[in-house]
Amino acid sequence: PLGVPARHLASVGSTMTEAAAWAADGAPHGAAVVAETQTAGRGRHGRVWRDVPGASLMLSLVLRPALAPERLGLVGLAAGLALAEAAGTFGARARLKWPNDVLALNAQGRLVKLAGVLAEASWSGAAPAVILGAGLNVEQMTFPDDLRATSLRIASGRDVARLDPLAPFLDAFAIRLDQAESAPGRLLADVEARLVGLGDLCQVGFPGTDRPPLTGTALGLAPDGALRLATDAGEITVHAGEVTLAR
């Protein structure tokens, strides 16, 4: 089962770093690191994950999936979908933005970030692993002006405690991770059903690189989880990037 064994920490620099070190020491598939707060939480493209101590669900899992390296992108998609499904058990209508954002409505009725996922390969130790980090805003009722985000309490209108979504997420993720291995077509179809911007014009940027952004229509997902984009130059498959939806 996912989440066994588990380490629960009051404070840690990053659950990803802690889980990677544990994986190098032989942690089994499903081992989890859960923290009440992070002092150096990581997001994609070198960003920092900001949290209010005791208000967010933050965990990292050691995974050893039976997936070919070129299909490891399905792990992050499966985790994002599982977070959206866990939010749904509390009444929140969560959507997905490729590749790793979970969105829901804020107090102003705008679709903003509820949760994020980060998956990194770990080659230390005797066997390779995927370290899957997940952060879900749960109890916050306000956010800084520069942070376009919401929480499960706001999106659901319910009094939800920080650890309440943990079991629903782990249960949903176990199912979706199994689908990534045995029925990827079904997983991708369910992810696409929640994707925002599908069929719409969008721009894909590549932070930290000299690659110019691409503009095109989001067509759907490739078998490996990449984004299919229809551009003026033809259809292009994008494996990593930052999607901005047309307004």
Side-chain angles (χ1 to χ4, degrees), residues 144-210:
D145 292 339
D146 65 334
L147 193 61
R148 292 172 52 85
T150 190
S151 71
L152 193 51
R153 279 193 178 186
I154 294 171
S156 67
R158 299 184 185 182
D159 187 14
V160 187
R162 180 177 66 89
L163 291 179
D164 286 352
L166 178 57
F169 165 65
L170 292 175
D171 289 344
F173 188 33
I175 294 170
R176 294 303 186 176
L177 190 59
D178 180 70
Q179 287 180 345
E181 299 173 357
S182 61
R186 179 175 177 183
L187 169 66
L188 292 170
D190 289 346
V191 171
E192 285 186 340
R194 289 182 184 256
L195 275 184
V196 297
L198 198 62
D200 296 334
L201 191 67
C202 66
Q203 185 179 81
V204 181
F206 305 94
T209 74
D210 296 329

Side-chain angles (χ1 to χ4, degrees), residues 22-62:
W22 195 8
D25 286 340
H29 173 80
V33 177
V34 183
E36 295 181 23
T37 187
Q38 295 182 119
T39 58
R42 303 206 309 274
R44 294 176 68 243
H45 306 302
R47 295 190 180 98
V48 174
W49 178 270
R50 296 154 61 182
D51 73 88
V52 176
S56 298
L57 174 63
M58 292 172 295
L59 75 155
S60 291
L61 293 165
V62 177

Side-chain angles (χ1 to χ4, degrees), residues 22-139:
W22 195 8
D25 286 340
H29 173 80
V33 177
V34 183
E36 295 181 23
T37 187
Q38 295 182 119
T39 58
R42 303 206 309 274
R44 294 176 68 243
H45 306 302
R47 295 190 180 98
V48 174
W49 178 270
R50 296 154 61 182
D51 73 88
V52 176
S56 298
L57 174 63
M58 292 172 295
L59 75 155
S60 291
L61 293 165
V62 177
L63 304 174
R64 305 188 189 275
L67 287 170
E70 63 271 15
R71 288 184 174 262
L72 288 178
L74 297 178
V75 173
L77 293 177
L81 179 57
L83 280 172
E85 292 174 326
T89 64
F90 299 92
R93 297 182 178 180
R95 303 287 301 278
L96 300 173
K97 189 179 82 165
W98 185 89
N100 74 326
D101 286 346
V102 182
L103 310 179
L105 296 179
N106 64 7
Q108 291 72 43
R110 302 181 67 180
L111 202 58
V112 295
K113 190 166 184 174
L114 172 68
V117 171
L118 181 64
E120 295 180 346
S122 176
W123 303 103
S124 301
V130 175
I131 309 302
L132 188 287
L136 172 66
N137 299 323
V138 180
E139 299 188 24

